Amino acid sequence: HLNVLANMFLYVKFLKWFTFRSTAGANIIRYDSKSFNPTTYWNRGDKNTLVNSLSQNAKTTTEVTWNNTLTFDKDFGKHHLNVLLGTEAIWQNYSALGASRSNFLVEDVDYRYLSAGEDELNNWGSGSAYSLFSLFARANYSYDNRYYLTYTFRYDGSSNFGPENRWAPFHSVAGSWRFTNEPWMKNLEWWSNGKIRLGWGQTGNSNIGGYAWGSSISPMDSALGAGYRPANIANTAVQWETQEQINIGLDLGFFQDRLNLTVDLYQKVSKNMLMGMQLPSYMGTQGNGSSVLSAPKGNFGSIENKGIEITLDAHPFVGEFQWDSNFQISFNRNTLKALSGTTAASIVGYGQWS
């Protein structure tokens, strides 16, 4: 087993308000195994190993990441502006191969190589690849440490989807008001912190595996000999799953933040959920195991997750003797909103049913 990690970065600050940072990393995992099953004889015949065998396997996983950000940060009197532009690239590759052979005339360790076996060599191999590229931007604005605004944009492209649906945009916006910094709150010294938060945002999910939108090939035996067949039905219409979430929050701190209360209300809706489609048997999804087709991945349905979270923490004693207390309670409800009515719940080239 071998694991190699490598990281490097470049940091440049220029024109007083600009910062450029570039980071690159690689993670390589190599796993090799070798197993020899010698000839054995026991009193019980069913436990005997009459023919020895050797098997070898090698698996390699490689992941490369590269991130670049350009940041502008400047104060304009009571105004503060921070703008970030960036890119993110992720590349993953997995490969595996193995072979086995039996009937070794010599079982000595120096002869345990596949070429020394007498019987036919069996081998196999598999692999997969994945890549993600993202463009993103974020802008933070604040005024007098009282009013805060944030906007974030991402444009993500995943190799898990077909060329027509590979890219998708995602937005988020948030604002907050720290009312304890208002002039009319200055006389309330026991009230140390108060903030109201509101946010809305989108995130994407592309976790369906590589080439799930296409049709892969599987070997099969036939009366004419070995051949190949489609392993699954293709669906080039499959696309990103999207989660949209709304948050409303309240932060309160008293007595120099020795008593704090945080309340969060949220609603999260998952749309165009990525799931295996249910297809009728006449499309080849049932029958003989050597020819059955797997159903494709598709987008359909929505789930709503909403609730409230309350956290209360206290620090009644500070100094040499400290005492911290924390209380949390949450209420959550998940609701399946629909399994139909999604425009992306279709298979290109086939009719759709409900």
Side-chain angles (χ1 to χ4, degrees):
H1 183 270
L2 176 66
N3 192 354
V4 178
L5 287 170
N7 293 280
M8 60 183 299
F9 74 92
L10 173 67
Y11 180 86
V12 179
K13 189 174 180 63
F14 61 98
L15 297 180
K16 189 177 181 179
W17 305 299
F18 291 89
T19 302
F20 174 77
R21 183 179 179 89
S22 179
T23 60
N27 185 12
I28 302 174
I29 301 175
R30 171 81 179 191
Y31 178 80
D32 294 277
S33 66
K34 187 176 183 179
S35 175
F36 184 77
N37 189 17
T39 303
T40 58
Y41 296 94
W42 305 88
N43 292 330
R44 292 183 56 185
D46 59 339
K47 297 296 183 180
N48 294 339
T49 302
L50 302 180
V51 180
N52 54 30
S53 61
L54 172 68
S55 62
Q56 286 187 251
N57 298 281
K59 301 177 182 179
T60 304
T61 302
T62 304
E63 180 175 350
V64 179
T65 60
W66 185 27
N67 297 278
N68 300 282
T69 58
L70 177 64
T71 305
F72 171 82
D73 191 90
K74 182 174 173 55
D75 290 313
F76 303 89
K78 294 184 178 181
H79 304 268
H80 178 77
L81 181 64
N82 179 281
V83 178
L84 180 143
L85 303 175
T87 64
E88 179 182 31
I90 300 175
W91 178 78
Q92 296 175 344
N93 181 271
Y94 170 79
S95 62
L97 58 90
S100 64
R101 205 167 192 177
S102 58
N103 196 8
F104 289 78
L105 299 181
V106 180
E107 293 190 348
D108 188 88
V109 65
D110 294 330
Y111 292 88
R112 293 178 182 177
Y113 295 96
L114 292 171
S115 59
E118 296 293 326
D119 291 347
E120 183 179 355
L121 179 68
N122 298 310
N123 57 76
W124 60 272
S126 64
S128 62
Y130 168 75
S131 60
L132 173 73
F133 186 78
S134 302
L135 302 170
F136 56 89
R138 185 189 66 213
N140 292 319
Y141 167 79
S142 65
Y143 173 74
D144 198 24
N145 290 323
R146 289 184 286 169
Y147 311 105
Y148 303 86
L149 289 174
T150 300
Y151 172 73
T152 304
F153 172 76
R154 289 184 65 95
Y155 193 56
D156 296 329
S158 171
S159 63
N160 284 348
F161 302 109
E164 297 179 359
N165 298 294
R166 186 157 293 166
W167 296 88
F170 304 99
H171 308 263
S172 68
V173 61
S176 62
W177 173 36
R178 190 181 297 275
F179 56 85
T180 47
N181 286 349
E182 296 290 347
W184 44 270
M185 291 287 294
K186 297 299 183 182
N187 294 328
L188 301 177
E189 297 181 358
W190 55 273
W191 198 338
S192 53
N193 181 46
K195 179 190 281 190
I196 299 174
R197 297 175 281 107
L198 178 63
W200 170 87
Q202 296 175 317
T203 57
N205 175 29
S206 63
N207 188 21
I208 58 171
Y211 202 57
W213 58 274
S215 179
S216 57
I217 300 297
S218 294
M220 67 173 294
D221 295 326
S222 68
L224 301 177
Y228 294 89
R229 64 172 181 85
N232 61 282
I233 300 174
N235 183 15
T236 58
V238 65
Q239 57 187 267
W240 284 81
E241 176 182 327
T242 303
Q243 292 90 33
E244 292 187 5
Q245 182 164 330
I246 299 176
N247 287 83
I248 301 176
L250 175 65
D251 300 326
L252 299 177
F254 306 96
F255 311 112
Q256 300 303 314
D257 291 339
R258 295 173 68 175
L259 180 63
N260 299 282
L261 174 66
T262 301
V263 180
D264 281 289
L265 291 88
Y266 60 89
Q267 181 192 46
K268 180 180 179 180
V269 179
S270 298
K271 303 177 181 179
N272 290 339
M273 294 186 298
L274 291 169
M275 294 187 290
M277 304 189 74
Q278 301 295 320
L279 302 183
S281 59
Y282 59 74
M283 294 190 69
T285 57
Q286 297 181 20
N288 192 313
S290 64
S291 59
V292 65
L293 295 173
S294 299
K297 298 290 185 178
N299 301 90
F300 53 92
S302 63
I303 291 179
E304 180 188 62
N305 183 347
K306 61 182 178 180
I308 180 173
E309 296 179 351
I310 302 174
T311 302
L312 178 65
D313 63 83
H315 315 280
F317 296 98
V318 296
E320 295 184 0
F321 176 75
Q322 298 183 3
W323 181 6
D324 297 326
S325 300
N326 182 272
F327 172 79
Q328 294 181 340
I329 188 172
S330 62
F331 302 91
N332 180 272
R333 174 178 293 180
N334 288 325
T335 305
L336 178 63
K337 305 295 289 186
L339 281 177
S340 61
T342 305
T343 57
S346 61
I347 303 177
V348 174
Y350 298 91
Q352 186 61 22
W353 50 90
S354 59

